[in-house]
Amino acid sequence: MSESLSGKIILSGNQYGKAENRVVRIVRDTPRHEIRDLNVSSCLRGDFTDAYLTGEQSKVLPTDTQKHTAYAYAKKVGINSPEEYALALATHYVDDIEPVDEALIEVEEFAWERAIVDGEEHPHTFVKASAEVRTVAVTHNKENTWIVSGVKDFVILKSTGSEFKGFLVDPYTILEETDDRVMATSLVMQWRLAGTDPGELGFDGLFARIREIAIATFATVHSLALQQTLYRIGEAILEEFGQVAEVRLSAPNKHHFVYDFSAFDDVENHKEVFHADDRPYGLIQAAVSREDAPDAGPAWVTYRSWL
Amino acid sequence: MSESLSGKIILSGNQYGKAENRVVRIVRDTPRHEIRDLNVSSCLRGDFTDAYLTGEQSKVLPTDTQKHTAYAYAKKVGINSPEEYALALATHYVDDIEPVDEALIEVEEFAWERAIVDGEEHPHTFVKASAEVRTVAVTHNKENTWIVSGVKDFVILKSTGSEFKGFLVDPYTILEETDDRVMATSLVMQWRLAGTDPGELGFDGLFARIREIAIATFATVHSLALQQTLYRIGEAILEEFGQVAEVRLSAPNKHHFVYDFSAFDDVENHKEVFHADDRPYGLIQAAVSREDAPDAGPAWVTYRSWL
Amino acid sequence: MSESLSGKIILSGNQYGKAENRVVRIVRDTPRHEIRDLNVSSCLRGDFTDAYLTGEQSKVLPTDTQKHTAYAYAKKVGINSPEEYALALATHYVDDIEPVDEALIEVEEFAWERAIVDGEEHPHTFVKASAEVRTVAVTHNKENTWIVSGVKDFVILKSTGSEFKGFLVDPYTILEETDDRVMATSLVMQWRLAGTDPGELGFDGLFARIREIAIATFATVHSLALQQTLYRIGEAILEEFGQVAEVRLSAPNKHHFVYDFSAFDDVENHKEVFHADDRPYGLIQAAVSREDAPDAGPAWVTYRSWL
Amino acid sequence: MSESLSGKIILSGNQYGKAENRVVRIVRDTPRHEIRDLNVSSCLRGDFTDAYLTGEQSKVLPTDTQKHTAYAYAKKVGINSPEEYALALATHYVDDIEPVDEALIEVEEFAWERAIVDGEEHPHTFVKASAEVRTVAVTHNKENTWIVSGVKDFVILKSTGSEFKGFLVDPYTILEETDDRVMATSLVMQWRLAGTDPGELGFDGLFARIREIAIATFATVHSLALQQTLYRIGEAILEEFGQVAEVRLSAPNKHHFVYDFSAFDDVENHKEVFHADDRPYGLIQAAVSREDAPDAGPAWVTYRSWL
């Protein structure tokens, strides 16, 4: 029977801002330029109920203003790291704009490599590097700050050193066990800091080192399952960095199926030729944290989590 | 100073399954065929810690099995509605697969329209309809069931009847007020049922009627802000359907800027020619619910919320 | 052995312009508004060699200017049809900009449907219609004009009435014959006019009728192969419209594979459950024309044909 | 007045095949594995008229067979380079399948970098490298062979050393001249060999060196226009390699607009902060070749050129 409610209708949640500002910052103080290429989204929370209930806008800072602010802060505070830039923006909104109680700044960073000309790094020419995207989500209110850093579209593959067997069998289970398969994923990996200090490496150095750890763990752990590999990546990061409270990983199993040549006389497949399939794909997600991790609060509540 | 943790490292969360099974079901019991075209993802939660910590797989139902199950259930229970199909799959996993405590089934449905030939509906030819995608997320455990239905990529525009003025002004605010603008969005709208019964319209009928309400509200409310329009859409849905506990809306403001012809002698723009910009865009999100809405529990925790 | 050339290096071809101007035109002369939503690209050919060889720009009309022109012409000449608008733009460049010998204007049009509110069409609210995109490419020089109209992302499916058998067999052929399969495609279809006059239906009417013919032919021809269906579509269009000189069709065979339930006891598949696969896909292309068709000249040379 | 044709309707062109076979080849003869990751499309031309006109399939090699062949040849002949693999496939179709007169094989290659673990290259773990895609189109018939190699999604930027001034001015020209701008593009670059021999570097070495030349030229030529930069890239390639007959380049001008801070008191922009815009964009295309280049024949007629 249908449950029918009759309680008062309320605005039970809201947030708003300007998404995907494509901010490119060139540092040209010397002939050797530097570039930081960001996609910046600001998201404000606070006393905005009137805008929803009556359309009265007097507490609403226009998203157009937030756009200008994102670009202006790329000059005013610069982009030492996407985390520091995001923190400056979030702090500005909470401190300077009265109706704002909490601000979330999400940043994607696209990496550029310096062009090599005649074996030397060119001072002002850059080539787009890997398709990997560095991610940052900083949430700040008057009481606390949460910093989540990460990487997405981080595609990694091992051509051996992975097995999958001993799994649960039900009437729809016809998968054969394997002790040697290709394992590949497009990893989404995010780490939440215990506080706001990245430690001696700084935010950029911490990012680079965590990426190294993930690659080394993926490569060297003989994998019994993607689940195990994910856990070991998270564990290795937490073991090395006490300032990291939690690691979240989401890994599509990008299936590489051994192509079946059994019907053909003139060719055999000793796990040398694979079909890289698109869909469907296994999807494995894990959070690895410490028992003494501080509360995550709103750290994981992003624009995307509303979709 | 950097906070440094030393607590025991634990698996603090996990889920896994097979994502994006492209299940197409044809009903061909009569010459007039029916088609349902789905993208199905299954996600299992339960006693899977060993798979992560030691790689031991004896409790892990392979994602390959979940693929076969998604297709098999399209025949065994059919697809009366994506909600009912998802509920059958989720119940199967919780009831029949011992380590599973909770299952989430996410479905996207792509609509087809019957081809018109000589003014009549053709019995077995279909044309892909709108780019809109119907969405379903059913979460089920031994105690409870949550059904969230929705639509995404639902693009709607009004060419007048929208203003934006009286907003907060800070030093970066240069936006001019307007009392007549184009308002357009690509709406993501989801509604959570109070129970599991869609009421007399059934799931397909409820979907169709809620879509109608959204369009009518968007069209007829003179908009003072996108925030207000979103709230009024949620309110109108809740007012008509007591079985709906909560509506969540996410709306990018797809900016249509009046093109500036002021530098040109031979042409004027009386809000007739616009540039449809890509990025950045305002992004407005709202949840509208009832005070007596039952707890959302895990209803909104999807694969996406881990990304 | 490697062939080695030593001839003089020359600029052997070139064209340039502004691509993807997102022009939205609202006609608001009465309370019932009209909308046309275009993606417009202009491409100029002519005496531009200096810009390439020496960097001298005195004959180069900036692409920024072409942007303004695209928007200005949406008001000056309006958008009675995308073909007429494109023709006006192309003529302007050839007639008014001295170094331009030939201009190509490419247009994509996105369709909107009028919102239905309480059973009536709303005067100023629109819902994005099908994902189909109408396409136009007009090429104009001082001697001649070519108009190619079309549609892409035109997705159509028949759930029976399609077979595939009697094909060539070689040692890698293991496909089984079928006399009843799902046939689906995402059609790209373009038709070239013999002259510049669309006939009594006008450009919009001709577009609508040709789309109807394609659907009816796809639906009613019992298909022995996608090749045959494509030819019959082209033939039907040419038979009805003497003003059309040529039809080009490109059709990915969007495979729907009958899902194999043979390993499972409790479920059978009588061509009712399919897997809609992504890649690879068959790709069938055909041109159907008349023996007395005028020369195509540069009609098919677009931006894309350089990629 | 409408021109009306009445000539006989004919099949004036056709080609077909299997597109986007995702072939991954692992060489595992030693502990140090190698990987080649390809997207392979085969396209056959020949005596296929019956399939279109009557649906008779006896000369049609199924696209399913072409799929198996693409995977089988990844083992039978291997993938020494994508060009050699494509040539082997094309030759097979023309030599072994009687109705085939001409075959086009298109290949995209996705690059992987060897994972670095503890400063050393790992033997069987790979990280997805740049988003750049290497491209190959080999066309072969009984008389001749054409090889076009290239790269796409090749994104490159210079933060100074680019100007744009002295251009043509018309009534819609309001662009200001600049002698210092950011210039960025996502280059599509293809080179056609004079014969089939890549020279002493081999196909992989030639690809790498041409990419180097493009980067060095883009970096070191002070650009007066994107047109000039493109020509100089083509010229530099032809000057170094006599075996290259023609270079085609297509370059969207990925606009980076200096963000306007003039309305704000506390921040100035000395070409340090830019908005990376999406659309519209300038699009510049050039072909650079030699006067003694052999005829291009069908070298540039790909699947895409039918769209």
Side-chain angles (χ1 to χ4, degrees):
Chain A
M1 217 200 79
S2 182
E3 248 178 281
S4 190
L5 306 174
S6 55
K8 189 186 166 196
I9 295 172
I10 54 168
L11 178 72
S12 51
N14 75 88
Q15 59 184 13
Y16 87 103
K18 197 69 147 195
E20 302 209 37
N21 297 282
R22 292 283 292 103
V23 177
V24 176
R25 175 67 157 96
I26 307 288
V27 179
R28 47 194 300 161
D29 302 339
T30 70
R32 184 181 163 95
H33 291 188
E34 305 287 340
I35 184 171
R36 300 221 68 153
D37 183 358
L38 307 182
N39 194 21
V40 181
S41 300
S42 59
C43 178
L44 306 185
R45 298 161 185 158
D47 183 12
F48 303 119
T49 306
D50 286 349
Y52 290 86
L53 266 55
T54 69
E56 206 277 328
Q57 301 296 312
S58 63
K59 292 181 177 167
V60 171
L61 189 72
T63 68
D64 185 71
T65 303
Q66 298 178 43
K67 173 177 69 170
H68 300 312
T69 308
Y71 288 88
Y73 269 65
K75 177 68 186 297
K76 282 181 67 171
V77 307
I79 304 173
N80 190 45
S81 69
E83 285 86 351
E84 289 159 275
Y85 164 77
L87 191 51
L89 270 176
T91 303
H92 160 65
Y93 287 119
V94 173
D95 288 358
D96 302 341
I97 308 300
E98 206 274 325
V100 176
D101 295 329
E102 186 171 281
L104 160 70
I105 308 295
E106 298 189 63
V107 182
E108 298 178 327
E109 182 171 24
F110 311 111
W112 292 86
E113 286 171 3
R114 216 167 268 279
I116 304 298
V117 177
D118 294 335
E120 309 235 321
E121 294 189 339
H122 194 268
H124 61 254
T125 304
F126 304 88
V127 176
K128 195 66 148 279
S130 162
E132 288 173 35
V133 177
R134 179 171 167 182
T135 62
V136 172
V138 170
T139 307
H140 173 73
N141 61 31
K142 287 195 163 64
E143 285 74 44
N144 213 334
T145 302
W146 295 265
I147 300 179
V148 175
S149 302
V151 63
K152 66 178 181 180
D153 300 336
F154 177 23
V155 181
I156 188 165
L157 173 151
K158 61 194 303 183
S159 51
T160 188
S162 167
E163 53 185 67
F164 187 54
K165 57 191 180 189
F167 42 72
L168 187 62
V169 171
D170 81 351
Y172 294 120
T173 302
I174 55 176
L175 183 70
E176 291 180 26
E177 299 195 333
T178 177
D179 54 14
D180 185 11
R181 62 172 182 172
V182 167
M183 186 166 79
T185 188
S186 175
L187 197 61
V188 179
M189 177 170 67
Q190 297 175 89
W191 50 95
R192 174 167 63 92
L193 288 193
T196 59
D197 186 340
E200 59 186 12
L201 296 175
F203 285 105
D204 287 358
L206 185 64
F207 173 84
R209 178 61 193 141
I210 285 178
R211 189 179 171 283
E212 276 180 3
I213 294 171
I215 291 171
T217 307
F218 185 90
T220 58
V221 169
H222 180 83
S223 180
L224 303 176
L226 188 45
Q227 281 89 331
Q228 180 212 23
T229 295
L230 295 186
Y231 182 76
R232 294 287 293 276
I233 291 173
E235 184 183 52
I237 295 166
L238 291 171
E239 281 172 351
E240 187 160 322
F241 295 110
Q243 63 270 48
V244 176
E246 179 186 4
V247 181
R248 283 202 186 190
L249 305 112
S250 179
N253 193 341
K254 293 176 78 74
H255 302 299
H256 286 66
F257 295 116
V258 177
Y259 205 83
D260 182 5
F261 289 157
S262 59
F264 311 130
D265 287 339
D266 61 343
V267 60
E268 294 186 333
N269 196 353
H270 304 293
K271 300 187 175 177
E272 294 163 296
V273 178
F274 299 83
H275 171 62
D277 206 20
D278 294 298
R279 292 189 294 183
Y281 49 90
L283 183 49
I284 318 295
Q285 300 185 316
V288 187
S289 63
R290 286 178 195 281
E291 286 188 336
D292 56 348
D295 189 69
W300 299 103
V301 182
T302 59
Y303 271 130
R304 181 182 296 264
S305 57
W306 278 71
L307 302 182
Chain B
M1 217 201 78
S2 181
E3 245 179 286
S4 190
L5 307 173
S6 55
K8 188 185 166 196
I9 295 171
I10 55 167
L11 180 72
S12 51
N14 75 89
Q15 59 184 13
Y16 87 103
K18 197 68 148 195
E20 302 209 36
N21 297 282
R22 292 285 292 103
V23 177
V24 176
R25 175 68 158 95
I26 306 289
V27 179
R28 47 192 301 160
D29 302 340
T30 69
R32 184 180 163 94
H33 290 189
E34 304 289 338
I35 183 171
R36 300 220 70 152
D37 182 358
L38 308 183
N39 193 22
V40 182
S41 300
S42 60
C43 177
L44 307 184
R45 298 160 185 158
D47 183 13
F48 302 119
T49 307
D50 286 350
Y52 290 87
L53 266 55
T54 68
E56 207 277 327
Q57 300 297 312
S58 63
K59 293 180 177 166
V60 171
L61 189 72
T63 67
D64 185 73
T65 303
Q66 297 178 43
K67 174 177 67 170
H68 300 313
T69 308
Y71 288 89
Y73 270 64
K75 177 69 186 294
K76 282 182 67 171
V77 307
I79 304 174
N80 190 44
S81 70
E83 285 85 352
E84 289 159 275
Y85 163 78
L87 191 51
L89 270 176
T91 304
H92 160 65
Y93 286 119
V94 172
D95 288 359
D96 302 340
I97 307 300
E98 206 274 326
V100 176
D101 294 329
E102 186 171 283
L104 161 70
I105 307 296
E106 297 189 64
V107 182
E108 298 178 328
E109 181 170 26
F110 311 111
W112 293 85
E113 285 171 3
R114 218 168 266 280
I116 304 299
V117 178
D118 294 335
E120 309 236 321
E121 295 190 337
H122 194 269
H124 62 253
T125 304
F126 304 88
V127 177
K128 193 68 148 273
S130 163
E132 288 174 35
V133 178
R134 179 172 167 182
T135 62
V136 172
V138 169
T139 308
H140 173 72
N141 61 32
K142 289 195 162 62
E143 285 74 43
N144 215 332
T145 302
W146 294 266
I147 299 180
V148 175
S149 302
V151 62
K152 65 178 181 180
D153 299 336
F154 177 23
V155 181
I156 188 164
L157 174 150
K158 63 193 300 184
S159 51
T160 188
S162 167
E163 52 185 70
F164 187 55
K165 56 192 180 189
F167 41 74
L168 187 62
V169 171
D170 82 350
Y172 295 120
T173 303
I174 56 175
L175 183 70
E176 290 179 28
E177 299 196 331
T178 177
D179 54 13
D180 185 11
R181 62 171 182 172
V182 168
M183 187 167 78
T185 188
S186 175
L187 197 60
V188 181
M189 178 170 67
Q190 298 175 89
W191 48 96
R192 174 166 64 91
L193 288 193
T196 59
D197 186 339
E200 59 186 13
L201 295 176
F203 285 106
D204 287 358
L206 184 63
F207 173 84
R209 178 61 194 142
I210 286 179
R211 188 179 172 281
E212 276 180 2
I213 294 171
I215 291 171
T217 308
F218 185 91
T220 57
V221 170
H222 180 83
S223 181
L224 303 176
L226 188 45
Q227 280 89 331
Q228 180 212 24
T229 294
L230 295 186
Y231 182 77
R232 295 287 293 275
I233 291 173
E235 185 184 50
I237 295 166
L238 291 171
E239 281 173 350
E240 186 160 325
F241 295 109
Q243 62 270 50
V244 176
E246 180 186 5
V247 181
R248 283 202 186 190
L249 305 112
S250 181
N253 193 340
K254 294 175 78 74
H255 302 300
H256 286 65
F257 296 115
V258 177
Y259 206 84
D260 182 4
F261 290 155
S262 59
F264 312 130
D265 287 339
D266 62 344
V267 59
E268 293 186 335
N269 196 353
H270 304 292
K271 300 189 176 178
E272 295 163 296
V273 178
F274 299 83
H275 171 62
D277 206 20
D278 295 298
R279 294 190 292 183
Y281 49 89
L283 183 49
I284 318 296
Q285 302 184 316
V288 186
S289 63
R290 286 178 196 281
E291 285 188 336
D292 56 348
D295 189 69
W300 299 103
V301 183
T302 60
Y303 271 131
R304 181 183 296 264
S305 57
W306 278 71
L307 301 182
Chain C
M1 218 200 76
S2 182
E3 245 179 284
S4 190
L5 307 174
S6 56
K8 190 185 165 196
I9 295 172
I10 55 168
L11 179 72
S12 50
N14 74 88
Q15 58 183 11
Y16 87 103
K18 197 67 147 196
E20 302 208 35
N21 297 282
R22 291 284 292 102
V23 177
V24 176
R25 175 68 158 95
I26 307 289
V27 178
R28 46 194 299 160
D29 302 339
T30 70
R32 183 180 163 95
H33 290 188
E34 305 288 339
I35 183 171
R36 300 221 69 152
D37 183 358
L38 308 182
N39 194 21
V40 181
S41 299
S42 59
C43 178
L44 307 184
R45 298 160 186 159
D47 182 13
F48 302 120
T49 306
D50 286 349
Y52 290 87
L53 265 55
T54 68
E56 207 276 330
Q57 301 295 311
S58 63
K59 293 181 177 166
V60 171
L61 189 72
T63 67
D64 185 73
T65 303
Q66 297 177 43
K67 174 177 68 171
H68 300 312
T69 309
Y71 289 89
Y73 269 65
K75 177 67 186 296
K76 282 182 67 172
V77 306
I79 304 173
N80 189 46
S81 69
E83 285 86 352
E84 289 159 276
Y85 163 78
L87 190 51
L89 270 175
T91 304
H92 159 65
Y93 287 120
V94 173
D95 288 357
D96 303 341
I97 308 298
E98 205 276 325
V100 176
D101 295 328
E102 186 172 281
L104 160 71
I105 308 296
E106 297 189 63
V107 181
E108 299 178 327
E109 181 170 24
F110 312 111
W112 293 86
E113 286 171 3
R114 217 167 267 280
I116 304 298
V117 178
D118 294 334
E120 308 235 323
E121 294 189 339
H122 194 268
H124 62 254
T125 303
F126 304 88
V127 177
K128 193 69 147 277
S130 162
E132 288 173 35
V133 177
R134 178 172 167 183
T135 62
V136 172
V138 170
T139 307
H140 174 72
N141 60 33
K142 287 195 163 65
E143 284 75 42
N144 215 333
T145 303
W146 295 265
I147 299 180
V148 176
S149 302
V151 62
K152 65 178 181 178
D153 300 337
F154 178 23
V155 181
I156 189 165
L157 174 150
K158 61 194 302 183
S159 52
T160 189
S162 167
E163 52 185 69
F164 188 54
K165 57 191 180 190
F167 41 74
L168 186 63
V169 171
D170 81 351
Y172 295 120
T173 302
I174 55 176
L175 184 71
E176 291 180 25
E177 299 195 333
T178 177
D179 53 14
D180 185 9
R181 61 171 182 172
V182 168
M183 187 166 78
T185 188
S186 174
L187 196 60
V188 180
M189 179 169 67
Q190 297 175 88
W191 50 95
R192 175 167 63 90
L193 288 193
T196 60
D197 185 339
E200 59 186 12
L201 295 176
F203 285 106
D204 287 359
L206 184 64
F207 174 84
R209 179 60 194 144
I210 285 179
R211 189 180 172 281
E212 275 179 3
I213 294 171
I215 291 172
T217 307
F218 185 91
T220 57
V221 169
H222 179 83
S223 180
L224 303 176
L226 188 44
Q227 280 89 330
Q228 180 212 23
T229 295
L230 295 186
Y231 182 77
R232 294 288 293 275
I233 291 172
E235 185 183 50
I237 295 166
L238 291 171
E239 281 172 351
E240 187 159 325
F241 295 109
Q243 63 269 50
V244 176
E246 179 186 4
V247 181
R248 283 202 186 190
L249 305 112
S250 179
N253 192 340
K254 293 176 76 75
H255 302 300
H256 286 67
F257 295 116
V258 178
Y259 206 83
D260 181 6
F261 290 156
S262 60
F264 311 129
D265 287 340
D266 61 344
V267 60
E268 294 186 334
N269 196 354
H270 304 292
K271 300 189 175 176
E272 295 163 296
V273 179
F274 299 83
H275 170 62
D277 207 19
D278 294 299
R279 293 190 294 183
Y281 49 90
L283 184 49
I284 317 297
Q285 301 184 317
V288 186
S289 63
R290 286 180 196 281
E291 286 187 336
D292 57 348
D295 190 68
W300 299 103
V301 182
T302 59
Y303 271 132
R304 181 183 296 264
S305 57
W306 278 71
L307 302 182
Chain D
M1 217 199 79
S2 183
E3 247 179 282
S4 191
L5 307 174
S6 56
K8 189 185 166 197
I9 295 171
I10 55 167
L11 179 72
S12 51
N14 75 88
Q15 57 183 14
Y16 87 104
K18 196 69 148 195
E20 302 210 36
N21 298 281
R22 291 284 291 103
V23 177
V24 176
R25 175 68 158 93
I26 306 289
V27 179
R28 47 192 301 161
D29 302 339
T30 69
R32 185 180 162 96
H33 291 188
E34 304 288 340
I35 183 170
R36 299 219 71 151
D37 183 357
L38 307 183
N39 194 22
V40 181
S41 299
S42 59
C43 178
L44 307 184
R45 298 161 185 158
D47 182 13
F48 302 120
T49 306
D50 286 350
Y52 290 87
L53 265 55
T54 67
E56 207 275 329
Q57 300 297 309
S58 63
K59 292 181 177 167
V60 171
L61 189 72
T63 67
D64 185 73
T65 303
Q66 297 178 44
K67 174 176 69 170
H68 300 313
T69 307
Y71 288 89
Y73 269 65
K75 177 68 185 295
K76 281 182 67 171
V77 307
I79 303 173
N80 189 46
S81 69
E83 284 86 353
E84 288 159 275
Y85 163 77
L87 191 52
L89 270 175
T91 304
H92 159 65
Y93 286 119
V94 173
D95 288 357
D96 302 341
I97 307 299
E98 206 275 326
V100 177
D101 294 329
E102 185 171 282
L104 160 70
I105 308 295
E106 297 189 64
V107 181
E108 298 178 327
E109 181 170 26
F110 312 111
W112 293 86
E113 286 172 2
R114 218 166 266 281
I116 304 299
V117 178
D118 293 335
E120 309 235 322
E121 295 189 337
H122 194 269
H124 61 254
T125 303
F126 304 88
V127 176
K128 193 66 148 277
S130 163
E132 287 173 36
V133 177
R134 179 172 166 182
T135 61
V136 172
V138 170
T139 307
H140 173 73
N141 61 32
K142 287 195 164 64
E143 285 74 43
N144 215 334
T145 302
W146 295 265
I147 299 179
V148 174
S149 302
V151 62
K152 65 178 181 179
D153 299 337
F154 177 24
V155 181
I156 188 164
L157 174 151
K158 61 194 303 182
S159 51
T160 189
S162 167
E163 53 186 67
F164 187 56
K165 57 191 181 190
F167 41 74
L168 187 62
V169 171
D170 80 351
Y172 294 121
T173 302
I174 56 175
L175 183 70
E176 292 179 24
E177 300 196 332
T178 177
D179 53 14
D180 185 11
R181 61 171 183 173
V182 167
M183 187 168 77
T185 189
S186 175
L187 196 61
V188 180
M189 178 171 66
Q190 297 175 88
W191 50 95
R192 174 166 64 91
L193 288 192
T196 60
D197 185 340
E200 59 185 12
L201 294 176
F203 285 106
D204 288 357
L206 184 64
F207 173 85
R209 179 59 194 144
I210 286 178
R211 188 179 172 282
E212 275 179 3
I213 293 171
I215 292 172
T217 307
F218 185 92
T220 58
V221 169
H222 179 84
S223 181
L224 303 176
L226 188 45
Q227 280 89 331
Q228 179 212 24
T229 294
L230 295 186
Y231 183 77
R232 294 287 293 276
I233 291 172
E235 184 184 50
I237 294 166
L238 291 171
E239 281 173 350
E240 186 160 325
F241 295 109
Q243 63 269 48
V244 176
E246 179 186 5
V247 181
R248 283 202 186 190
L249 305 112
S250 179
N253 192 341
K254 294 175 78 75
H255 302 300
H256 286 66
F257 295 115
V258 177
Y259 206 84
D260 180 5
F261 290 157
S262 59
F264 312 130
D265 288 338
D266 61 344
V267 60
E268 294 186 333
N269 196 354
H270 304 293
K271 300 190 175 176
E272 295 164 295
V273 178
F274 299 83
H275 171 62
D277 206 21
D278 294 298
R279 293 189 294 183
Y281 49 89
L283 183 49
I284 319 295
Q285 302 185 316
V288 187
S289 63
R290 288 178 195 280
E291 286 187 336
D292 56 348
D295 189 69
W300 298 104
V301 183
T302 59
Y303 271 131
R304 181 183 297 265
S305 56
W306 278 70
L307 302 181

